Amino acid sequence: MELLEKAQEFIGRKMSNMSTSDRVEASREAKALILSINEIYKETKDSSLMDVMKEVTVKKKKIEKRLNGVPLV
């Protein structure tokens, strides 16, 4: 599946030395990947799709943490 190949490429991509606009773009790409994989998962209930979605979500959260900054609590 082409979608899973894109997801694996996203997971393996280096996130160092990214500009803010690169991080925003990567976050949006991750969201699109997650939503499209989720549509397929709803039909097939394949657990491997869920694992890929979880990995992409972890990477997306790391990117967004860097974008939003650490809370000052």
Side-chain angles (χ1 to χ4, degrees):
M1 298 176 101
E2 181 181 320
L3 190 58
L4 291 178
E5 292 172 4
K6 285 183 181 180
Q8 290 300 329
E9 186 271 328
F10 180 80
I11 293 168
R13 195 182 304 165
K14 297 281 185 186
M15 293 294 164
S16 60
N17 296 326
M18 291 180 80
S19 65
T20 302
S21 60
D22 290 340
R23 285 190 181 89
V24 170
E25 186 178 322
S27 177
R28 290 178 181 163
E29 180 184 353
K31 181 179 179 181
L33 281 170
I34 292 167
L35 292 175
S36 54
I37 292 172
N38 190 35
E39 288 300 317
I40 297 170
Y41 177 77
K42 286 179 186 177
E43 297 169 6
T44 62
K45 303 291 185 194
D46 184 10
S47 63
S48 66
L49 291 175
M50 182 58 78
D51 294 337
V52 172
M53 277 196 297
K54 287 179 183 178
E55 289 180 41
V56 173
T57 302
V58 167
K59 189 108 175 182
K60 180 179 180 284
K61 284 183 179 181
K62 287 180 183 178
I63 292 168
E64 289 179 348
K65 181 193 280 186
R66 175 72 179 172
L67 274 174
N68 298 332
V70 178
L72 299 175
V73 174

